[in-house]
């Protein structure tokens, strides 16, 4: 029998980590097209940090944040998703338009639920959906495929998506370089399969890149965002591709002039993880899970926090202390 209440981390207003409060809430009742999931783990993401800070104008507080979670169907309205089914869910406005994964249970649209069969521990499984789907989608947007012998530069390499992209790229056989702002994180990137680790101390990155690849990389996955986008366009070889996926430095490029700032023949693309929500991403996620189970991909779970410690988890993420994925478990 399900309880009538659940514990959740509620963002009561915009502000610092302290605005996340553990509260006892009524257990959501299922309705047509929505099923109840018993949450077993939720990966933390920078977008949740920005929402908590008040940078998502459409979000109204109080709100249970969390754009992803993994767990077990507890009360189903879909015969294809019987109770007891292991599922993952990402994006689709969860944690924004409706309550998300920072809770013991989440009421989610059936269309978002991705059924999985796996032996992975919950904390490892929780580290995969948003991070690995974003990394995979970004590499696809760059035109990278297994067996590619090109050169990939990952800017923001110690972010969770950066570590996942490095893991996938190593499995593909690419030559990789990745940046970090902290020398203490060099070893973690090497362990993730990165061939060349570049310490970004705020100066021009070109000399370091051209010292290893005189012509520049064939691809740049830019997870830092707007502050480095134009520089990335000039680092990639002429005719190469830059994929903007990260927003670590914000959403907008001020005074962006495409004709002046994109070298002729160089391509600029982007990836948004909402493209892989629900049915669009389930086969991709199943393959990722199989690769992790086989040891081909090495997910980096930096630290696991309990739901009670969600304030500390957000502070840890906000201070850029993580190397890889931060996970919260109820």
């Amino acid at each position: 029998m399900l309880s009538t209440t659940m514990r959740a981390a509620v963002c009561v207003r915009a502000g610092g980590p302290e605005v996340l409060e553990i509260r006892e809430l009524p257990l959501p009742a299922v309705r047509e097209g929505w099923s109840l999931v018993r949450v077993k783990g939720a990966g933390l993401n920078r977008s949740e940090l920005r929402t908590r800070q008040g940078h998502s104008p459409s979000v109204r507080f109080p709100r249970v944040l969390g754009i992803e979670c993994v767990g077990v169907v507890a009360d189903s309205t879909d015969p294809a998703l019987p109770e007891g089914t292991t599922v993952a869910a990402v994006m689709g406005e969860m944690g924004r338009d409706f309550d998300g994964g920072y809770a013991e249970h989440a009421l989610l649209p059936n269309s978002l639920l991705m059924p999985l069969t796996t032996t992975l521990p919950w904390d490892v499984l929780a580290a995969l959906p948003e991070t690995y789907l974003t990394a995979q989608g970004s590499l696809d947007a760059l035109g990278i495929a297994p067996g590619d012998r090109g050169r990939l530069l990952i800017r923001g390499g110690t972010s969770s998506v950066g570590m996942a992209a490095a893991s996938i790229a190593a499995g593909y056989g690419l030559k990789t370089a990745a940046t970090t702002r902290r020398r203490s994180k060099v070893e973690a990137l090497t362990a993730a399969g990165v061939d060349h680790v570049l310490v970004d101390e705020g100066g021009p990155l070109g000399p370091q890149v051209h010292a290893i690849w005189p012509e520049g990389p064939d691809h740049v996955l830019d997870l830092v965002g707007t502050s480095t986008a134009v520089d990335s366009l000039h680092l990639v070889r002429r005719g190469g591709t830059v994929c903007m996926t990260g927003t670590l430095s914000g959403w907008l490029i001020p005074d962006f002039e495409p004709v002046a700032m994109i070298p002729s023949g160089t391509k600029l693309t982007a990836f948004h993880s909402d493209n892989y929500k629900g049915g669009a991403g389930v086969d991709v996620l199943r393959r990722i899970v199989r690769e992790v189970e086989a040891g081909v991909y090495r997910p980096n779970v930096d630290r696991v926090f309990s739901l009670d410690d969600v304030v500390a988890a957000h502070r840890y993420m906000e201070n850029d202390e993580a190397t890889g994925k931060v996970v919260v478990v109820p």
Side-chain angles (χ1 to χ4, degrees):
M1 293 290 294
L2 292 172
S3 170
T4 59
T5 62
M6 68 175 189
R7 296 168 66 254
V10 181
C11 186
V12 297
R13 62 184 180 278
E18 69 281 355
V19 302
L20 296 168
E21 297 182 2
I22 303 299
R23 293 185 175 181
E24 196 84 12
L25 301 180
L27 192 72
V30 298
R31 60 181 187 269
E32 185 177 356
W34 296 63
S35 293
L36 188 68
V37 174
R38 180 179 295 110
V39 177
K40 295 292 187 177
L44 266 61
N45 299 278
R46 303 287 297 196
S47 65
E48 295 148 5
L49 185 154
R50 292 186 179 280
T51 296
R52 190 209 75 216
Q53 292 172 332
H55 300 307
S56 299
S58 65
V59 175
R60 297 291 177 262
F61 302 112
R63 173 64 70 210
V64 177
L65 303 182
I67 65 169
E68 65 173 320
C69 69
V70 297
V72 177
V73 176
D75 193 357
S76 177
T77 63
D78 184 348
L81 295 165
E83 294 173 12
T85 303
T86 295
V87 292
V90 297
M91 298 296 290
E93 294 303 309
M94 64 183 291
R96 296 170 60 84
D97 281 357
F98 53 90
D99 287 343
Y102 290 15
E104 292 177 329
H105 289 83
L107 182 66
L108 302 173
N110 294 330
S111 60
L112 283 189
L113 299 181
M114 296 183 280
L116 302 169
T117 301
T118 179
T119 58
L120 293 175
W122 287 114
D123 60 333
V124 174
L125 186 63
L128 301 182
E130 173 68 12
T131 294
Y132 267 79
L133 286 174
T134 301
Q136 183 65 68
S138 299
L139 296 183
D140 291 345
L142 284 165
I144 295 172
D148 194 316
R149 291 294 180 262
R151 300 159 301 200
L152 169 68
L153 170 64
I154 303 169
R155 303 194 74 161
T158 52
S159 65
S160 59
V161 175
M163 299 289 283
S167 178
I168 296 172
Y172 280 6
L174 270 80
K175 295 296 182 183
T176 57
T179 67
T180 177
R181 293 183 297 171
R182 301 188 183 186
R183 293 187 181 275
S184 60
K185 296 186 176 184
V186 169
E187 189 174 322
L189 283 170
T190 301
V194 173
D195 298 302
H196 307 281
V197 180
L198 312 179
V199 178
D200 186 352
E201 297 178 325
L205 195 61
Q208 290 191 72
V209 173
H210 295 136
I212 56 172
W213 298 326
E215 296 180 0
D218 301 291
H219 319 278
V220 177
L221 172 54
D222 197 323
L223 301 171
V224 177
T226 56
S227 66
T228 55
V230 174
D231 186 53
S232 292
L233 288 166
H234 290 272
L235 279 176
V236 73
R237 68 165 176 81
R238 184 63 66 92
T241 305
V242 175
C243 179
M244 291 292 303
T245 297
T247 59
L248 297 176
S249 60
W251 301 98
L252 301 176
I253 303 174
D255 302 319
F256 183 57
E257 301 178 39
V259 174
M261 294 178 175
I262 303 177
S264 296
T266 297
K267 295 175 281 293
L268 175 63
T269 187
F271 178 77
H272 192 291
S273 55
D274 209 41
N275 294 348
Y276 271 166
K277 66 184 178 185
V282 64
D283 289 339
V284 180
L285 183 57
R286 287 171 177 167
R287 181 178 59 77
I288 288 166
V289 167
R290 290 196 300 270
E291 297 285 32
V292 172
E293 289 174 333
V296 178
Y297 297 165
R298 295 169 285 179
N300 190 292
V301 180
D302 179 274
R303 192 167 168 184
V304 179
F305 289 84
S306 70
L307 185 63
D308 286 329
D309 294 325
V310 69
V311 170
H314 258 244
R315 188 168 289 120
Y316 185 74
M317 179 170 58
E318 192 163 359
N319 291 339
D320 295 324
E321 296 181 71
T323 304
K325 192 72 171 181
V326 178
V327 172
V328 164
V329 296

